[in-house]
């Protein structure tokens, strides 16, 4: 499941302004739109981070982690267990994007991976 319903602005691997491929996706949505977990797991980070704003990171096991950034609020604390589809945050623009959008990234063993296999519409 996708982490929210919105408009895909930047796809995984799309060229950024500096020429590098994007390690994640940017999905536009109205401020306050619920953001949901893409899989079961444990929240390992829920706080402010420079460049990401209000960010929540979920460890799904087997080396997989999902990142949800630029939120206006975080709804789960460090150590919380979450289930796929549960609300974990609300969309905002805390990461300095200048627009309300969720930055979403999936990592395996610390490296960004294409989330296409996890995200089905």
């Amino acid at each position: 499941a996708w982490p929210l319903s919105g408009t895909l602005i930047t796809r995984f691997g799309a060229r950024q302004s500096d020429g590098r491929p994007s390690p994640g996706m940017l999905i536009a949505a109205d401020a306050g739109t619920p953001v949901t977990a893409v899989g079961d797991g444990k929240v390992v980070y829920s706080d402010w981070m420079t460049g990401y704003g209000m960010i929540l990171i979920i460890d799904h096991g087997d080396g997989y982690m999902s990142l949800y950034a630029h939120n206006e609020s975080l709804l789960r604390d460090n150590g919380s267990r979450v289930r796929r589809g549960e609300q974990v945050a609300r969309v905002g623009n805390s990461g300095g994007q200048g627009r309300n959008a969720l930055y979403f990234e999936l990592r395996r063993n610390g490296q960004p991976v294409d989330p296409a296999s996890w995200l089905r519409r």
Side-chain angles (χ1 to χ4, degrees):
W2 282 61
L4 78 155
S5 215
T7 304
L8 185 61
I9 298 171
T10 305
R11 295 181 180 280
F12 174 83
R15 293 285 170 209
Q16 301 178 93
S17 58
D18 63 4
R20 292 181 301 143
S22 175
M25 303 166 62
L26 192 62
I27 306 166
D30 292 335
T33 299
V35 175
T36 60
V38 297
D40 298 351
K42 181 179 178 182
V43 175
V44 294
Y45 191 87
S46 179
D47 205 343
W48 176 270
M49 184 183 288
T50 302
Y52 291 96
M54 298 297 286
I55 182 172
L56 186 127
I57 302 173
I58 299 173
D59 183 343
H60 300 286
D62 293 325
Y64 283 99
M65 291 187 162
S66 56
L67 292 73
Y68 310 79
H70 303 321
N71 299 290
E72 73 173 16
S73 60
L74 304 173
L75 305 178
R76 298 290 187 268
D77 295 323
N78 290 339
S80 297
R81 288 265 171 213
V82 296
R83 306 278 301 167
R84 179 177 174 251
E86 283 184 345
Q87 291 184 23
V88 294
R90 296 198 180 276
V91 171
N93 64 2
S94 64
Q97 288 294 112
R99 69 172 89 178
N100 293 311
L102 172 72
Y103 175 75
F104 174 77
E105 191 175 308
L106 184 66
R107 294 184 183 182
R108 175 121 200 250
N109 298 324
Q111 298 301 311
V113 296
D114 188 345
S117 63
W118 281 57
L119 306 179
R120 307 226 190 278
R121 286 211 181 227

